[in-house]
Amino acid sequence: VNYQPIIDLSDGRIIKAEALLRWLHPQRGLVLPEEFIGLAEETGFINEIGNWVFTEATARSQEWSALLGYPFQVSVNTSAVQFTHRAPRMNWGAYLRTLQLAKHSMSVEVTEGVLLHASAMVTENLSNLQKAGIDLAIDHFGTGYSSMAHLKKFDVDYLKIDQSFVQDSTNDASNRIIAETVIVMAHKLGLKVVGEGVETVEQRDWLRAAGCDYAQGYLFSEAIPPDEFGKLLKAGRVEC
């Protein structure tokens, strides 16, 4: 598991981290999640992978919270299959209680589709996570079909603007308008907004001017191993 910093656009501080899975294959080298997550979902192995990533991420949250002297949030990506699979699930809330992690130390990221097609089981699972003090973020927001009603129903904490809107913002006025509308809407609902895939100073400055709260992307740092991330945290902020 590598970790990518999420930056507070107001002052450049590293405000939280996203845990990102990587597979270093002995023959093929680095394999990215889009090449194997589909198979993991088909086989049900996604539950074991997801539990392992969660335990790794909670360990890092503990470590970095101790380093900083205050709770440091780490977010993990989840698959819709993890909320609907009938196999016994690890109780993430109970696990957090055994670690005595502060509330809001962890966040789960789901796609819009998970909310749009939420069954009773999905709704219950998400509710249990939130009752355990885990924040909820909607990843790749703007590419699906979720509505404001879904955002309120599930008490969402963060919206993550899909990188396609951010990276096309300098050339496509309609993408800028969509992203700016999402930011305003989110703030009206009391949500924080993260701009994904920031690669240029121009994109960062536009997000800042639009009132976006946080950002992540290669402009600040790629996803890096935990020891390197710890060094970034000690520095306090990312220069770009």
Side-chain angles (χ1 to χ4, degrees), residues 67-176:
L67 173 68
L68 296 170
Y70 55 83
F72 183 82
Q73 187 178 92
V74 178
S75 64
V76 296
N77 291 285
T78 54
S79 160
V81 177
Q82 289 173 262
F83 295 107
T84 57
H85 199 270
R86 294 289 180 179
R89 298 179 65 252
M90 173 183 171
N91 188 322
W92 288 3
Y95 182 73
L96 288 182
R97 287 192 290 274
T98 66
L99 299 180
Q100 297 185 322
L101 266 182
K103 285 192 173 184
H104 312 296
S105 294
M106 299 299 298
S107 172
V108 295
E109 298 188 10
V110 300
T111 62
E112 295 176 83
V114 171
L115 303 190
L116 183 65
H117 303 293
S119 63
M121 180 186 294
V122 170
T123 301
E124 180 182 1
N125 287 333
L126 286 174
S127 176
N128 288 338
L129 291 176
Q130 291 176 297
K131 288 176 183 176
I134 299 173
D135 285 355
L136 177 62
I138 308 302
D139 200 11
H140 307 306
F141 190 81
T143 59
Y145 303 95
S146 64
S147 67
M148 286 187 286
H150 288 104
L151 301 181
K152 293 305 294 180
K153 175 183 177 182
F154 291 95
D155 197 19
V156 173
D157 298 286
Y158 299 93
L159 293 186
K160 302 191 73 175
I161 299 175
D162 187 72
Q163 63 180 357
S164 62
F165 295 101
V166 174
Q167 292 172 359
D168 290 341
S169 62
T170 54
N171 301 315
D172 190 327
S174 62
N175 276 340
R176 286 199 304 274

